[in-house]
Amino acid sequence: MEMLKKENLLMNQPKADREDVIRRCGRMLVDSGYAAEHYIEGMIKRDNSFTTCIGNHIALPHGEEAYKVDIISTGIVALAFPEGIDWQGTVVYLVIGIAAKGDEHLDIMGNVVDKLETGDDVKKLVREGTVDDMYVMLCGEPS
């Protein structure tokens, strides 16, 4: 199964509540066959116990370690919020939901860190980029 599908890259999303965004990411992971329903609660618990905001206006919601059993295969979804959303006191423009078996997601996360070095890079991608731009940024290559 593909780790990233273009239909799971959503640009120009309206402002939303942090927990609703995490649930939406989780629902997308479940609906795409990457995780079981229970994984969504693990994502909420993880972010409530330790924020998944990593800086540069990016959040990476994922499940707590105990919920790894609910992962079927590694998958990633991304939502772009041009107006930004409040993530426990920090403004986030890009939310990347992750369900990862082992270390399979690290290449994609490496691409995120390499290509979005500053908050301005993130804002530019979110406000001016396309689904194709997001896909290349995450995967490092066009589909």
XYZ file of all heavy atoms in Angstrom, residues 18-31 34-53 59-71 73 75-79 87-88 95-100:
479
model
N -8.123 22.326 17.154
C -7.002 21.383 17.144
C -7.480 19.937 17.281
O -7.080 19.067 16.489
C -6.034 21.728 18.287
C -4.905 20.732 18.476
C -4.109 21.040 19.749
N -4.913 20.930 20.945
C -5.106 19.795 21.630
N -4.547 18.672 21.244
N -5.858 19.783 22.712
N -8.316 19.654 18.249
C -8.757 18.272 18.441
C -9.575 17.772 17.251
O -9.444 16.621 16.836
C -9.554 18.114 19.737
C -9.838 16.655 20.045
C -10.376 16.416 21.446
O -9.836 17.007 22.407
O -11.320 15.622 21.555
N -10.385 18.650 16.667
C -11.149 18.266 15.474
C -10.207 17.936 14.312
O -10.452 17.003 13.548
C -12.106 19.382 15.051
C -13.272 19.562 16.019
O -13.547 18.638 16.821
O -13.904 20.638 15.976
N -9.120 18.708 14.196
C -8.147 18.457 13.128
C -7.448 17.112 13.354
O -7.272 16.335 12.415
C -7.116 19.606 13.038
C -5.984 19.255 12.083
C -7.801 20.895 12.598
N -7.090 16.820 14.594
C -6.460 15.529 14.895
C -7.425 14.392 14.556
O -7.044 13.401 13.927
C -6.009 15.448 16.369
C -4.905 16.478 16.640
C -5.519 14.031 16.700
C -4.555 16.631 18.113
N -8.681 14.538 14.953
C -9.680 13.510 14.648
C -9.863 13.350 13.130
O -10.008 12.243 12.632
C -11.020 13.839 15.305
C -11.012 13.634 16.800
C -12.394 13.770 17.411
N -12.315 13.708 18.850
C -12.118 12.601 19.551
N -11.990 11.446 18.924
N -12.049 12.639 20.868
N -9.826 14.462 12.415
C -9.961 14.391 10.956
C -8.773 13.654 10.338
O -8.943 12.813 9.448
C -10.084 15.795 10.384
C -10.409 15.786 8.931
C -10.993 17.108 8.495
N -11.180 17.086 7.059
C -10.984 18.123 6.282
N -10.645 19.274 6.782
N -11.160 18.016 4.997
N -7.568 13.964 10.806
C -6.380 13.237 10.328
C -6.523 11.748 10.624
O -6.265 10.905 9.764
C -5.113 13.762 11.000
S -4.552 15.365 10.428
N -6.938 11.437 11.837
C -7.120 10.045 12.231
C -8.159 9.350 11.369
O -7.965 8.218 10.918
N -9.267 10.036 11.117
C -10.341 9.467 10.278
C -9.811 9.190 8.878
O -10.090 8.158 8.284
C -11.528 10.453 10.236
C -12.630 10.127 9.247
C -13.328 8.796 9.410
N -13.665 8.484 10.754
C -13.663 7.224 11.249
N -13.375 6.198 10.480
N -13.968 7.006 12.499
N -9.010 10.098 8.332
C -8.432 9.899 7.007
C -7.499 8.689 7.008
O -7.500 7.900 6.060
C -7.680 11.162 6.558
C -8.604 12.334 6.249
S -7.728 13.914 6.051
C -6.777 13.600 4.551
N -6.707 8.535 8.070
C -5.802 7.376 8.181
C -6.604 6.078 8.251
O -6.259 5.081 7.608
C -4.891 7.519 9.398
C -3.831 8.620 9.303
C -3.220 8.899 10.679
C -2.733 8.249 8.305
N -7.693 6.091 9.023
C -8.547 4.904 9.150
C -9.240 4.606 7.819
O -9.206 3.476 7.326
C -9.586 5.097 10.284
C -10.646 3.995 10.262
C -8.889 5.143 11.644
N -9.850 5.623 7.223
C -10.596 5.431 5.975
C -9.691 4.980 4.828
O -10.151 4.327 3.889
C -11.330 6.713 5.576
C -12.510 7.015 6.496
O -12.896 6.148 7.320
O -13.048 8.137 6.397
N -4.900 2.650 6.742
C -3.603 2.670 7.427
C -3.702 2.290 8.908
O -2.720 1.834 9.493
C -2.971 4.062 7.335
C -2.654 4.522 5.942
C -3.191 5.724 5.463
C -1.823 3.798 5.101
C -2.898 6.173 4.180
C -1.532 4.238 3.816
C -2.072 5.426 3.367
O -1.786 5.872 2.106
N -4.861 2.527 9.514
C -4.985 2.294 10.960
C -6.407 1.859 11.302
O -7.357 2.124 10.548
C -4.632 3.571 11.730
N -6.520 1.222 12.458
C -7.828 0.837 12.985
C -8.438 2.032 13.720
O -7.731 2.949 14.145
C -7.684 -0.355 13.927
N -9.730 2.013 13.873
C -10.502 3.101 14.503
C -9.902 3.563 15.837
O -9.830 4.764 16.115
C -11.937 2.602 14.715
C -12.894 3.646 15.191
C -13.412 4.543 14.081
O -13.454 4.128 12.916
O -13.775 5.684 14.394
N -9.465 2.644 16.655
C -8.941 2.944 17.989
C -7.730 3.879 17.948
O -7.454 4.590 18.908
C -8.597 1.609 18.681
C -8.434 1.705 20.148
N -7.294 1.271 20.780
C -9.247 2.198 21.109
C -7.414 1.490 22.078
N -8.592 2.047 22.303
N -7.013 3.891 16.839
C -5.800 4.712 16.705
C -6.103 6.205 16.874
O -5.276 6.959 17.393
C -5.135 4.455 15.347
C -3.786 5.107 15.192
C -2.671 4.642 15.895
C -3.613 6.205 14.348
C -1.429 5.235 15.763
C -2.376 6.802 14.203
C -1.289 6.321 14.912
O -0.059 6.922 14.782
N -7.300 6.632 16.476
C -7.669 8.046 16.583
C -7.568 8.511 18.033
O -7.033 9.588 18.319
C -9.082 8.300 16.009
C -9.117 7.950 14.517
C -9.506 9.746 16.243
C -10.515 7.940 13.899
N -8.061 7.715 18.960
C -7.981 8.087 20.378
C -6.527 8.181 20.843
O -6.176 9.025 21.657
C -8.768 7.105 21.250
C -10.262 7.237 21.092
C -10.771 8.675 21.228
O -10.409 9.366 22.208
O -11.519 9.113 20.333
N -5.682 7.310 20.310
C -4.257 7.370 20.638
C -3.615 8.653 20.160
O -2.703 9.191 20.803
N -4.095 9.178 19.031
C -3.579 10.446 18.508
C -3.978 11.604 19.424
O -3.160 12.476 19.725
C -4.099 10.695 17.087
C -3.567 9.707 16.066
S -4.302 9.928 14.416
C -3.435 11.413 13.863
N -5.224 11.594 19.883
C -5.705 12.641 20.790
C -4.921 12.586 22.107
O -4.434 13.606 22.606
C -7.215 12.477 21.082
C -8.034 12.607 19.801
C -7.677 13.446 22.156
C -8.047 13.972 19.180
N -4.785 11.392 22.655
C -4.057 11.233 23.932
C -2.616 11.708 23.806
O -2.096 12.367 24.696
C -4.103 9.781 24.396
C -5.442 9.366 24.949
C -5.404 7.948 25.475
C -6.742 7.575 26.077
N -6.743 6.228 26.612
N -1.968 11.368 22.705
C -0.573 11.761 22.507
C -0.436 13.272 22.508
O 0.425 13.840 23.170
C -0.053 11.178 21.183
C 1.298 11.708 20.748
C 2.395 11.165 21.650
N 3.687 11.443 21.069
C 4.494 12.429 21.442
N 4.144 13.230 22.405
N 5.649 12.597 20.872
N -1.304 13.953 21.756
C -1.182 15.403 21.670
C -1.580 16.090 22.973
O -1.034 17.133 23.312
C -1.996 15.966 20.506
C -1.550 17.364 20.153
O -0.446 17.502 19.580
O -2.273 18.327 20.471
N -2.499 15.502 23.721
C -2.878 16.083 25.009
C -1.789 15.903 26.059
O -1.637 16.738 26.940
C -4.201 15.492 25.508
C -5.394 16.049 24.751
O -5.330 17.131 24.170
N -6.481 15.303 24.750
N -1.015 14.827 25.966
C 0.040 14.598 26.955
C 1.344 15.298 26.584
O 2.108 15.708 27.451
C 0.284 13.101 27.158
O 0.800 12.505 25.983
N 1.609 15.440 25.300
C 2.835 16.093 24.828
C 2.561 16.607 23.423
O 2.306 15.821 22.520
C 4.005 15.092 24.831
C 5.333 15.725 24.542
C 6.041 16.361 25.562
C 5.862 15.703 23.268
C 7.265 16.958 25.304
C 7.085 16.295 23.007
C 7.794 16.927 24.021
N 2.583 17.918 23.252
C 2.194 18.503 21.964
C 2.977 17.896 20.807
O 4.159 17.594 20.931
C 2.356 20.035 21.956
O 1.866 20.529 20.702
C 3.794 20.454 22.134
N 2.288 17.742 19.702
C 2.930 17.226 18.491
C 3.335 18.364 17.553
O 3.742 18.125 16.426
C 2.000 16.233 17.754
O 0.765 16.875 17.463
C 1.766 14.995 18.609
N 3.239 19.589 18.034
C 3.731 20.743 17.282
C 5.258 20.702 17.351
O 5.843 20.631 18.430
C 3.198 22.031 17.898
S 3.748 23.504 17.033
N 2.565 20.696 12.768
C 2.199 19.709 13.791
C 2.182 18.336 13.131
O 1.783 18.199 11.974
C 0.840 20.024 14.401
N 2.632 17.335 13.877
C 2.705 15.954 13.384
C 1.931 15.014 14.312
O 2.525 14.220 15.044
C 4.166 15.483 13.313
C 5.148 16.302 12.486
C 6.557 15.756 12.642
C 4.746 16.292 11.031
N 0.605 15.105 14.325
C -0.143 14.221 15.218
C 0.033 12.745 14.862
O 0.022 12.373 13.683
C -1.596 14.670 15.055
C -1.639 15.427 13.775
C -0.264 15.979 13.549
N 0.243 11.953 15.891
C 0.412 10.502 15.748
C 0.001 9.858 17.064
O -0.145 10.548 18.073
C 1.861 10.164 15.397
C 2.851 10.685 16.383
N 3.250 12.008 16.411
C 3.502 10.075 17.395
C 4.121 12.182 17.396
N 4.284 11.028 18.014
N -0.184 8.559 17.056
C -0.669 7.862 18.239
C 0.418 7.590 19.269
O 1.601 7.514 18.933
N -0.025 7.449 20.521
C 0.891 7.034 21.582
C 1.432 5.644 21.263
O 0.824 4.867 20.519
C 0.154 6.987 22.924
C -0.203 8.338 23.483
C -0.822 8.247 24.871
O -1.633 7.316 25.114
O -0.497 9.109 25.701
N 2.560 5.311 21.864
C 3.233 4.023 21.631
C 2.276 2.837 21.817
O 2.291 1.900 21.024
C 4.426 3.906 22.590
C 5.353 2.763 22.289
C 6.140 2.920 20.989
O 6.416 4.050 20.560
O 6.461 1.866 20.397
N 1.444 2.882 22.827
C 0.523 1.778 23.116
C -0.468 1.533 21.978
O -1.044 0.450 21.871
C -0.235 2.054 24.407
N -0.668 2.523 21.118
C -1.632 2.411 20.024
C -0.992 1.952 18.718
O -1.668 1.827 17.704
C -2.356 3.743 19.818
C -3.286 4.077 20.960
C -2.797 4.643 22.132
C -4.641 3.787 20.889
C -3.641 4.933 23.190
C -5.492 4.071 21.940
C -4.981 4.646 23.092
O -5.825 4.919 24.142
N 0.307 1.668 18.733
C 0.986 1.181 17.518
C 0.367 -0.127 17.021
O 0.413 -0.418 15.838
C 2.483 1.002 17.767
C 3.218 2.326 17.828
C 4.478 2.261 17.024
C 5.179 3.585 17.064
N 5.656 3.990 15.770
N -0.226 -0.902 17.926
C -0.874 -2.158 17.531
C -2.057 -1.905 16.593
O -2.492 -2.808 15.882
C -1.341 -2.983 18.759
C -0.164 -3.398 19.621
C -2.374 -2.225 19.574
N -2.569 -0.663 16.596
C -3.708 -0.313 15.748
C -3.291 0.135 14.354
O -4.138 0.476 13.533
C -4.529 0.802 16.412
C -5.157 0.328 17.711
O -5.827 -0.714 17.692
O -4.971 1.006 18.743
N -1.992 0.149 14.078
C -1.498 0.552 12.761
C -1.478 -0.668 11.845
O -0.887 -1.693 12.171
C -0.101 1.194 12.861
C -0.172 2.470 13.702
C 0.451 1.480 11.469
C 1.175 3.060 14.043
N -0.751 -0.319 8.254
C 0.419 -0.059 7.422
C 0.761 1.428 7.527
O -0.086 2.233 7.900
C 0.178 -0.454 5.958
O -0.769 0.384 5.362
N 1.154 5.145 6.879
C 0.462 6.102 6.040
C 0.567 7.505 6.597
O 0.756 7.702 7.791
N 0.451 8.463 5.686
C 0.559 9.870 6.055
C -0.553 10.640 5.356
O -0.880 10.368 4.196
C 1.947 10.415 5.655
C 3.004 9.735 6.516
C 2.024 11.925 5.787
C 4.417 10.060 6.150
N -1.111 11.619 6.074
C -2.092 12.544 5.517
C -1.632 13.959 5.857
O -0.896 14.150 6.818
C -3.513 12.278 6.073
C -3.954 10.851 5.763
C -3.595 12.535 7.574
N -2.041 14.940 5.079
C -1.634 16.316 5.371
C -2.769 17.285 5.080
O -3.474 17.142 4.077
C -0.400 16.687 4.553
N -2.924 18.257 5.964
C -3.920 19.306 5.816
C -3.224 20.651 5.923
O -2.418 20.854 6.841
C -4.996 19.208 6.897
C -5.985 18.053 6.787
C -5.374 16.756 7.306
C -7.240 18.358 7.550
N -2.683 25.750 17.983
C -2.249 24.423 18.429
C -1.620 24.594 19.801
O -0.425 24.771 19.940
C -1.232 23.830 17.447
C -1.177 22.343 17.480
C -0.438 21.567 18.341
C -1.875 21.440 16.624
N -0.641 20.249 18.072
C -1.517 20.134 17.020
C -2.758 21.607 15.574
C -2.010 19.005 16.386
C -3.250 20.484 14.953
C -2.877 19.199 15.354
N -2.455 24.630 20.808
C -2.011 24.820 22.189
C -1.115 26.053 22.326
O -0.027 26.004 22.900
C -1.320 23.566 22.722
C -2.229 22.356 22.743
C -1.551 21.103 23.245
O -0.335 20.981 23.234
N -2.346 20.154 23.698
N -0.512 20.466 9.040
C -0.714 19.341 9.954
C -0.506 18.061 9.159
O -1.180 17.839 8.145
C -2.116 19.370 10.594
C -2.312 18.177 11.518
C -2.342 20.689 11.335
N 0.434 17.241 9.608
C 0.746 15.980 8.935
C 0.438 14.849 9.907
O 1.147 14.661 10.903
C 2.222 15.933 8.490
C 2.549 17.118 7.581
C 2.524 14.603 7.798
C 4.022 17.296 7.281
N -0.642 14.122 9.640
C -1.026 12.991 10.477
C -0.253 11.749 10.056
O -0.088 11.487 8.864
N 0.212 11.001 11.056
C 1.089 9.863 10.781
C 0.604 8.606 11.497
O 0.279 8.643 12.687
C 2.525 10.151 11.263
C 3.067 11.424 10.620
C 3.446 8.972 10.997
C 4.353 11.918 11.241
N 0.599 7.508 10.768
C 0.470 6.170 11.346
C 1.681 5.418 10.796
O 1.781 5.213 9.586
C -0.824 5.500 10.915
N 2.628 5.079 11.649
C 3.879 4.508 11.143
C 4.259 3.216 11.843
O 4.284 3.137 13.062
C 5.018 5.515 11.285
